Amino acid sequence: MTDCYTAITFAPVQGFIEKSRKLRDLYGSSFILSYLATQICNNARSYFNYPDTVTWPDDPVISPANINVAQGTPNLIFIRGNFPQDNAYRAMQTAWKDLLRYCRQWIETAVSKTPKDKAWQYTWERPWREWENHTWEFFWATGSSIEAARRQMNQVKYARAWTGINYVGESSTLSGQDSRAWPQLGHHASHNRSSTEEDSEVRDFYQQLSQAIDKQGATITIREQLSIPELVKRLVTIEKVMDRFDEIPNAETPQSFKKNRRWTDTPASAEDMERDTLWTGWFQGDGDQVGKYLNQQSQQAKTSHEKENSYHEFSERLRNWGYDLDEYLPSPEAISQTSDTLKLRKDGRIVYAGGDDFLGTLYRNMPSNPLKAKECLNWFYTFKPDIWSRHGQDISVSVGFVWASPQVPQRDILQHCRLAEKSAKTSGRDRIALRILFSDGKHLEWHCPWRFLTILEDYRDRNRKSETQNWTHLYNDVATLDSRHTFVESESDIAHGLLKIYFPVQLDQLPDTEIDKKDFYTLIQADSLDVNSDVLWNIYSGGKNRYDNQGIRQSTGILGDHSDYEMTTGEPDLPKVHDAFNTWVINLAKIGFHLCDNK
């Protein structure tokens, strides 16, 4: 039994990931974060005299569980015992410095001479050292229990200390926020040299770097002038560059860096080419109230060993689930890769799945047969019951899905993914928020509990005879009525009536297993909206909060928690309820028109 537990994390995480213009960079940044967390875990095992291959329950790292995969390692770490702060910080910094040093040395060796056969004068070592020392903010805390260490970590995060890196010279063409990396970065004072002359040298350098990686120059183009961290994100995805990383002298890399990288190259960065010309889908999800769930599990445990087991089992199940997540991506067809080999096609890529949070993209590299939004929805219909449930933990999940227009910057898409996920959380959790992002930056959004999502398949046009889904009439009806200010706060009869017309499902035709659909259509077929229906509200057994030992949520409603719509007297604010239902129906019509219509 131990009387001390250590909690460790570092930042920025979202910021580091979101400063990625290409899918390849997004993948590289995610892997770097996982790699740094892995090295902290491995160093902790070494400190307590355990090998990297140690298994539970001997493993001093309680969470994340050791599944021998560097990718998808969460950066929130819990360790049994007092793992010194200096050791943990040094492990992270050493791994980061080794990675930067290797990338810098590889470039200097691969691009040693200018196009005029003169030696490149590399004077950029100082900017690289600055990125070595000032990229990460490190947090460390201890406590007498895992819960106490977690609480102390939350307090430590309030006292942030950040050192920025001075801007030098022309900026990166990707983010525009940091200096572009080239051999003489920092050597010349800004604006003391002809920009034409310097730009010419920069283009020469990037052309040589591109050719050193691949002759086609597709991995890094001369139009891309990357900052140092952007350059590193790109290089770690390239097998040719990283082949010898484990051979760095004195590098603390006990676990192979390259063997667990799961990026597989596609010709000419096909994913990014598609995103410039076709609509693509992006999704970000997170388990609901995981901290409270783990605290509840911990409180039920009788001994510290049982508490550790509950945390570790949760981490192991979620990590294994995340590792396999890419296997569950849509696979509509098998395509021939060689004359004698068939490879199952995946319509997308999982960027990271570090436990209960994940990020992925859906696309198809076939311009003649692009991925449609409806195909993405077909996948999400099965996500909660058939994919998320595989980890076996009693937690729900909230997901934000963004159907993005061509040429929308990736950083904007990622921000909308995060906002859509947040919307799913604030709207009541255990649901998906569907968001359409247009090229002008405008967006539409509709959220829906998972248990009602398949109602999108039940839409029928006015004649009710056609099996095709032509959402145009509902879309036009809603647009006309909305422009005439027909939807008012005091009542929702019109919105309720529209659902009756366009969702004419007969209750006696639904199988007994379709309990949720029966509840929904019972609400729709009533004479007016039943504001007390379980379809509208999150229903709890006992208290109002899921993990307060008073109540367990039994079902999720369209409008979320009833308490959000109560007046100070405790009575429901009926105008607010009707207005929220009207908004839900209006947004349903808009989202259905753009995502579900058979166009």
Side-chain angles (χ1 to χ4, degrees):
M1 179 176 178
T2 181
D3 59 356
C4 183
Y5 293 87
T6 304
I8 298 168
T9 191
F10 54 90
V13 174
Q14 289 295 337
F16 187 74
I17 290 175
E18 288 180 0
K19 290 181 181 179
S20 305
R21 179 178 178 272
K22 289 192 172 183
L23 181 58
R24 179 187 287 270
D25 304 338
L26 191 64
Y27 199 89
S29 62
S30 171
F31 187 83
I32 289 171
L33 292 166
S34 298
Y35 173 65
L36 298 182
T38 299
Q39 296 311 310
I40 294 174
C41 294
N42 287 339
N43 193 274
R45 296 182 180 106
S46 177
Y47 176 82
F48 291 106
N49 297 316
Y50 285 97
D52 301 338
T53 55
V54 65
T55 58
W56 189 258
D58 297 324
D59 192 351
V61 180
I62 300 170
S63 175
N66 185 9
I67 63 172
N68 197 31
V69 174
Q71 182 182 355
T73 304
N75 70 311
L76 179 57
I77 301 166
F78 291 100
I79 298 170
R80 181 197 305 119
N82 190 337
F83 181 43
Q85 182 174 1
D86 289 345
N87 292 52
Y89 178 74
R90 186 167 57 251
M92 182 193 72
Q93 280 296 102
T94 298
W96 175 239
K97 288 180 179 180
D98 285 342
L99 183 57
L100 263 64
R101 175 161 55 95
Y102 175 80
C103 289
R104 177 174 60 82
Q105 291 175 353
W106 184 90
I107 295 171
E108 292 174 359
T109 301
V111 187
S112 58
K113 293 186 176 182
T114 69
K116 297 180 180 179
D117 204 33
K118 295 182 180 179
W120 273 109
Q121 299 298 315
Y122 281 93
T123 60
W124 62 354
E125 185 173 353
R126 178 179 174 181
W128 281 82
R129 285 202 310 269
E130 290 174 345
W131 279 109
E132 289 178 2
N133 296 321
H134 302 299
T135 299
W136 307 108
E137 189 174 7
F138 182 81
F139 304 100
W140 176 94
T142 59
S144 59
S145 65
I146 300 175
E147 297 89 343
R150 181 192 289 272
R151 288 194 298 269
Q152 184 61 28
M153 171 61 72
N154 292 334
Q155 293 298 318
V156 169
K157 284 184 176 180
Y158 285 120
R160 288 187 172 270
W162 191 260
T163 301
I165 297 176
N166 289 333
Y167 181 94
V168 178
E170 296 297 326
S171 64
S172 154
T173 57
L174 292 194
S175 68
Q177 295 175 334
D178 301 306
S179 302
R180 63 186 179 186
W182 69 295
Q184 297 191 44
L185 172 63
H187 181 68
H188 302 284
S190 300
H191 310 300
N192 285 355
R193 189 182 185 211
S194 166
S195 60
T196 302
E197 180 183 0
E198 182 171 297
D199 288 345
S200 177
E201 291 181 8
V202 172
R203 285 194 298 271
D204 287 343
F205 169 72
Y206 275 93
Q207 184 173 34
Q208 290 180 289
L209 180 60
S210 300
Q211 293 174 347
I213 294 172
D214 61 83
K215 293 182 179 179
Q216 291 77 26
T219 308
I220 298 179
T221 68
I222 60 173
R223 292 178 298 130
E224 295 180 301
Q225 297 171 13
L226 314 180
S227 67
I228 289 174
E230 291 167 350
L231 193 54
V232 173
K233 292 177 189 178
R234 187 74 56 86
L235 293 180
V236 300
T237 67
I238 301 169
E239 201 72 28
K240 179 178 180 180
V241 175
M242 302 308 298
D243 270 344
R244 301 176 65 86
F245 176 77
D246 294 316
E247 299 177 15
I248 298 178
N250 303 317
E252 294 184 13
T253 54
Q255 184 178 27
S256 172
F257 183 85
K258 66 180 181 179
K259 74 177 181 181
N260 290 315
R261 286 165 48 248
R262 301 176 68 188
W263 176 273
T264 52
D265 289 326
T266 52
S269 301
E271 293 95 339
D272 295 301
M273 292 177 64
E274 168 162 319
R275 190 161 48 80
D276 289 338
T277 58
L278 300 172
W279 287 77
T280 51
W282 298 73
F283 60 93
Q284 181 170 325
D286 183 46
D288 294 327
Q289 296 181 305
V290 170
K292 291 184 178 180
Y293 171 77
L294 290 172
N295 284 339
Q296 183 195 53
Q297 297 296 104
S298 178
Q299 290 171 9
Q300 294 175 354
K302 297 179 180 179
T303 66
S304 60
H305 180 67
E306 290 179 352
K307 291 182 179 183
E308 292 174 8
N309 274 335
S310 66
Y311 271 84
H312 183 271
E313 180 182 7
F314 179 86
S315 175
E316 184 175 42
R317 285 176 176 266
L318 267 295
R319 288 207 69 198
N320 280 316
W321 176 86
Y323 182 74
D324 294 331
L325 183 54
D326 61 342
E327 297 297 325
Y328 307 132
L329 286 172
S331 305
E333 59 184 323
I335 58 172
S336 177
Q337 299 294 308
T338 65
S339 58
D340 57 354
T341 303
L342 284 177
K343 179 181 179 181
L344 193 62
R345 172 177 198 88
K346 296 293 183 183
D347 281 343
R349 218 186 255 279
I350 299 300
V351 177
Y352 69 78
D356 66 300
D357 61 322
F358 50 89
L359 171 66
T361 179
L362 299 174
Y363 60 87
R364 182 179 297 152
N365 293 323
M366 297 177 65
S368 61
N369 182 27
L371 186 69
K372 297 178 181 178
K374 197 169 184 179
E375 294 177 90
C376 298
L377 286 178
N378 289 337
W379 186 66
F380 282 116
Y381 292 152
T382 66
F383 182 82
K384 173 75 184 296
D386 298 338
I387 299 176
W388 175 252
S389 62
R390 288 175 180 266
H391 57 67
Q393 300 297 288
D394 184 24
I395 56 172
S396 57
V397 63
S398 297
V399 172
F401 171 70
V402 175
W403 184 241
S405 171
Q407 299 181 349
V408 174
Q410 182 171 282
R411 59 181 176 272
D412 292 349
I413 295 175
L414 295 176
Q415 289 173 357
H416 278 269
C417 275
R418 190 174 72 251
L419 292 173
E421 180 199 316
K422 182 178 179 181
S423 177
K425 295 276 191 185
T426 57
S427 298
R429 298 188 177 91
D430 196 16
R431 67 191 64 222
I432 183 171
L434 305 174
R435 181 174 289 212
I436 303 171
L437 180 58
F438 300 99
S439 57
D440 61 359
K442 296 180 180 179
H443 71 274
L444 300 173
E445 182 182 290
W446 177 70
H447 63 82
C448 182
W450 293 106
R451 66 190 185 113
F452 299 131
L453 186 61
T454 56
I455 64 169
L456 292 171
E457 297 180 302
D458 299 332
Y459 173 87
R460 293 295 178 267
D461 205 357
R462 291 170 183 164
N463 57 27
R464 305 189 183 186
K465 297 179 180 179
S466 173
E467 292 300 315
T468 60
Q469 287 192 306
N470 180 1
W471 286 72
T472 305
H473 288 129
L474 174 58
Y475 179 82
N476 289 338
D477 285 349
V478 166
T480 301
L481 292 168
D482 196 24
S483 66
R484 295 175 180 175
H485 306 288
T486 308
F487 298 104
V488 294
E489 286 187 357
S490 58
E491 56 88 21
S492 56
D493 288 347
I494 293 177
H496 187 263
L498 286 171
L499 293 182
K500 274 188 176 182
I501 295 172
Y502 289 101
F503 293 85
V505 172
Q506 300 300 315
L507 289 172
D508 57 3
Q509 295 178 358
L510 291 173
D512 292 337
T513 55
E514 296 281 0
I515 298 174
D516 293 324
K517 276 194 175 182
K518 282 191 173 184
D519 289 345
F520 179 82
Y521 288 112
T522 298
L523 175 77
I524 299 308
Q525 293 178 11
D527 293 334
S528 60
L529 181 66
D530 178 4
V531 296
N532 296 312
S533 170
D534 293 355
V535 173
L536 297 181
W537 310 113
N538 294 346
I539 302 302
Y540 297 89
S541 172
K544 293 185 177 180
N545 297 316
R546 185 177 183 187
Y547 298 124
D548 61 359
N549 291 329
Q550 299 177 22
I552 302 297
R553 187 172 63 213
Q554 304 298 312
S555 62
T556 308
I558 289 173
L559 303 184
D561 284 338
H562 192 279
S563 58
D564 294 336
Y565 294 82
E566 293 175 356
M567 297 184 291
T568 55
T569 60
E571 296 296 320
D573 187 342
L574 293 181
K576 187 175 181 181
V577 174
H578 288 301
D579 183 54
F581 185 77
N582 287 340
T583 300
W584 191 82
V585 173
I586 291 170
N587 291 335
L588 164 63
K590 294 177 180 179
I591 287 291
F593 173 75
H594 288 282
L595 296 186
C596 304
D597 211 0
N598 290 327
K599 299 174 182 178

